[in-house]
Amino acid sequence: MSTAILTGPPVPGSPLEGDLRSLGFDVQVAAEAGQVPAAVSAAPAGARVALVDPHFVGHRHSLRLALTDPRFAAGAVTGALSVQAQARGALTRALHEADSAAAGAAADVAARGPDDEGAVTAPPRTLPDAVADALEAGDLDVHRPELGPLVASVPVGEEARAAARASVDGVDDEAVRLRNAVKSRDGFFTTFCVSPYSRYIARWCARRGLTPNQVTTASLVTALIAAACAATGTRGGFVAAGVLLIASFVLDATDGQLARYDLQYSTLGAWLDATFDRAKEYAYYAGLALGATRGGDDVWALALGAMVLQTARHVVDFSFNEANHDAAANTSPTAALSTRLDSVGWTVWLRRMIVLPIGERWALIAVLTACTTPRITLVVLLVGCALAACYTTAGRVLRSLTRKAHRTDRAARALADLADSGPLAAGFAALARRAHVQLPGYGPVVAFLGTAALLATALWTPLGSVWPCVAALGYALTSGFAVAAPLRGALDWLAPPFFRTAEYVLVLVLAARAEQSGVNGALPAAFGLVAAVAYHHYDTVYRIRGGTGAPPHWLVRATGGHEGRTLVVALAAALWASGAGRGPDQGQGFTIALTTLAVVVAAVVLVESIRFWVSSKAPAVHDETGEPA
């Protein structure tokens, strides 16, 4: 259990002890500052410890924000400080360093004159404040939450204390807490059609002890039921699917709001929230394809195309953001124009809607599912996502070309990890470096040429010929040359999206052509393979975001890397994709090969991913940006 130590005798009538206990703290009292180190040492090992000045006056939510947020090793507001178990050693050292500061605090209080009695915003230097400063001086980041209208103060004198209490009474703590549960920047649909009531669902869940992970799981189950309804192929099933998809999205918004409302952040929760969003959407695409098949319409190619396009869009987002994660400067005129447009209210919402974020996208899918057919739903989704992809990619290319920024080694490493280069590409890259054949700044051009040659060969050479295999070998060669030099160029962030496009679209093209030639089940098997590989790529992104680096090298080697899997699919197509001249039970080798590869990749990646995230010490990185998902 967490321990809160009052750094002096309690103030009669103060609700402070009750507030701390309601936040889950065992309250201990150190009668004087000299007893605080001993009280800290006596606190349970492995638990959070807080130091709170007994004269603290403020909202309970101010204390909650500073003292209970699990994302930070230390947090503080005026008169209160909390550290997690991993920072206990730093706290002990800071207490020794703050001895003189504590003595100075008493002198500050004694020196305050009558003119200062009502100064709530200029508190004395308390022991928690002095320790927080000492922690920061020792290079430990101390989170200081943005309180807004909330109060956190250590007033001196009865008049100042009464004024502080009046300030506390003048602000509805619960209303602020509820308002802050909603992202400050989100999509139009989420902001105006979901958040006005989902925040109250989040509060209802918090008061009944539900966790964000439970709500996230409920959202996944609801979406899977929606996909099952769509798979029935009936009008009633499609209507139910649309309603349930919206319900799943409401729960998806609720889980994050519950985490912010109750500060129930966790590493596992961040991973579940991110991965389940993808699982829900792609399972729904599969449900639409199954439902259409029951009605005699084969839309598996459209469903796979929607998944490929959406995943490629995300890779563009991730790659661009990682390339500019810690850029030294941003002098792009395009970025300046974007900032100016943000100052005009209606353009903000228009631009957020154009990129078709998850709220708008799911609402579109739900309405079209209920009112039209799976084919129309997927075609409209493909057109909308394609336009959004063109808009966002063009803007990011312009920003990259016009900005003057130095990209760091960390950004180059992140892009190399996102590339997912396997043994073949790594070997060719090593040969290029040894031969001094490196093309700094031209990596995306080389990647694009390899991608274009590979896909053109898959599209226009005879199915079952050796040419796609030759193109896949050439693609492995160009992929190695593309990453031979550090990816620090202005447009080097485009290399990973080109690699994803090459691999995913190759699987789509060869499976679609195989289906046309009589190979049954090739497209559903291809859907499963792309889903398994896409999960691996999303998992890579979430690990990098969490500051833990990419998946281990053995995992990338075991799954072949993007160029290795591309070569395997091309070989399988050359051997088994052509169904011409075969009997009704023949020509299933390609489907079996794709299914086997999907199962192997999924098994290896999922086992390692679950092991990592369940045991991970990575920080709980939740999306608070409101960027489209």
Side-chain angles (χ1 to χ4, degrees):
M1 186 176 187
S2 300
T3 300
I5 301 170
L6 297 183
T7 59
V11 175
S14 171
L16 180 59
E17 291 183 73
D19 288 344
L20 291 171
R21 290 192 178 94
S22 72
L23 297 177
F25 287 96
D26 175 32
V27 180
Q28 301 293 325
V29 177
E32 55 187 40
Q35 298 177 0
V36 172
V40 170
S41 299
R48 179 188 293 272
V49 174
L51 305 181
V52 184
D53 190 284
H55 297 89
F56 176 90
V57 175
H59 288 97
R60 180 184 303 173
H61 194 49
S62 297
L63 292 171
R64 179 184 289 108
L65 292 172
L67 306 185
T68 68
D69 196 324
R71 297 173 297 173
F72 308 102
V77 290
T78 300
L81 164 72
S82 173
V83 300
Q84 296 208 60
Q86 66 267 30
R88 289 277 292 271
L91 174 62
T92 300
R93 293 190 295 272
L95 276 168
H96 289 298
E97 296 171 8
D99 281 343
S100 59
D108 288 343
V109 172
R112 293 173 77 95
D115 292 339
D116 298 325
E117 283 295 304
V120 177
T121 58
R125 183 175 171 82
T126 66
L127 177 60
D129 296 334
V131 174
D133 291 342
L135 286 172
E136 290 180 317
D139 295 328
L140 177 68
D141 289 334
V142 177
H143 173 61
R144 298 182 185 272
E146 179 64 43
L147 298 181
L150 297 176
V151 176
S153 63
V154 182
V156 177
E158 288 304 320
E159 183 179 343
R161 189 173 183 82
R165 288 303 320 168
S167 298
V168 170
D169 294 339
V171 175
D172 187 340
D173 177 278
E174 178 61 22
V176 174
R177 183 183 178 191
L178 201 57
R179 185 168 61 249
N180 290 345
V182 179
K183 283 182 182 178
S184 59
R185 185 178 188 270
D186 218 330
F188 180 89
F189 180 78
T190 306
T191 299
F192 294 104
C193 301
V194 176
S195 291
Y197 57 89
S198 62
R199 69 184 75 183
Y200 296 102
I201 300 176
R203 182 171 66 181
W204 183 89
C205 293
R207 290 177 175 177
R208 283 152 184 82
L210 298 177
T211 67
N213 291 353
Q214 291 171 329
V215 178
T216 301
T217 303
S219 175
L220 173 66
V221 171
T222 304
L224 294 179
I225 296 173
C229 291
T232 63
T234 64
R235 176 53 50 195
F238 289 145
V239 172
V243 172
L244 287 171
L245 188 65
I246 293 297
S248 175
F249 180 70
V250 171
L251 291 173
D252 181 60
T254 300
D255 64 3
Q257 291 168 359
L258 174 58
R260 286 182 287 274
Y261 179 83
D262 228 22
L263 297 187
Q264 294 189 54
Y265 298 103
S266 70
T267 300
L268 179 62
W271 172 66
L272 290 176
D273 183 53
T275 55
F276 280 10
D277 279 351
R278 307 286 78 79
K280 289 180 288 189
E281 188 165 0
Y282 298 160
Y284 193 84
Y285 294 169
L288 287 174
L290 288 169
T293 301
R294 287 178 177 272
D297 188 13
D298 187 354
V299 298
W300 274 107
L302 293 175
L304 179 52
M307 180 166 65
V308 168
L309 179 56
Q310 190 57 36
T311 305
R313 284 185 63 198
H314 285 143
V315 174
V316 169
D317 294 341
F318 298 147
S319 190
F320 176 80
N321 290 335
E322 289 303 322
N324 297 283
H325 179 269
D326 48 6
N330 184 359
T331 57
S332 165
T334 309
L337 175 61
S338 178
T339 301
R340 287 197 297 271
L341 287 174
D342 281 344
S343 64
V344 183
W346 66 270
T347 65
V348 174
W349 297 115
L350 178 63
R351 292 164 66 222
R352 292 185 191 177
M353 294 172 67
I354 287 175
V355 299
L356 210 62
I358 187 169
E360 279 76 356
R361 194 167 65 248
W362 283 26
L364 176 67
I365 295 170
V367 171
L368 290 175
T369 299
C371 300
T372 64
T373 65
R375 178 174 290 275
I376 293 175
T377 300
L378 291 169
V379 168
V380 173
L381 179 66
L382 281 166
V383 172
C385 287
L387 293 174
C390 291
Y391 171 77
T392 55
T393 304
R396 286 167 179 174
V397 168
L398 286 174
R399 287 191 184 201
S400 300
L401 290 174
T402 56
R403 73 182 297 165
K404 297 178 181 179
H406 172 70
R407 293 207 168 94
T408 63
D409 291 340
R410 184 243 182 235
R413 179 70 262 167
L415 291 179
D417 291 336
L418 288 174
D420 190 34
S421 299
L424 282 175
F428 285 130
L431 287 175
R433 285 190 287 268
R434 281 199 292 270
H436 302 290
V437 183
Q438 298 185 58
L439 303 170
Y442 289 92
V445 176
V446 178
F448 171 76
L449 292 175
T451 298
L454 175 69
L455 298 182
T457 304
L459 278 167
W460 293 310
T461 58
L463 187 65
S465 71
V466 73
W467 289 112
C469 300
V470 174
L473 284 171
Y475 171 73
L477 176 65
T478 57
S479 298
F481 275 63
V483 298
L487 298 176
R488 294 197 186 94
L491 294 176
D492 280 359
W493 58 270
L494 285 171
F498 283 140
F499 295 151
R500 298 297 82 78
T501 300
E503 181 179 4
Y504 298 163
V505 176
L506 175 75
V507 175
L508 170 61
V509 169
L510 293 179
R513 294 188 66 188
E515 285 268 358
Q516 290 176 347
S517 70
V519 179
N520 293 326
L523 277 169
F527 190 96
L529 174 58
V530 172
V533 175
Y535 175 84
H536 168 53
H537 292 143
Y538 281 118
D539 186 56
T540 300
V541 169
Y542 302 140
R543 294 192 194 211
I544 293 173
R545 280 184 170 182
T548 60
H553 290 301
W554 71 261
L555 180 63
V556 177
R557 290 193 295 269
T559 55
H562 68 95
E563 81 290 348
R565 291 186 298 270
T566 297
L567 180 58
V568 169
V569 172
L571 285 170
L575 292 171
W576 301 299
S578 177
R582 302 181 180 182
D585 296 328
Q586 304 298 316
Q588 298 308 302
F590 187 52
T591 298
I592 294 171
L594 293 180
T595 303
T596 302
L597 183 58
V599 170
V600 170
V601 171
V604 173
V605 170
L606 278 172
V607 168
E608 161 57 20
S609 177
I610 293 171
R611 180 209 64 77
F612 172 80
W613 288 106
V614 169
S615 61
S616 176
K617 300 301 182 183
V621 180
H622 291 250
D623 176 23
E624 301 298 330
T625 65
E627 290 297 330

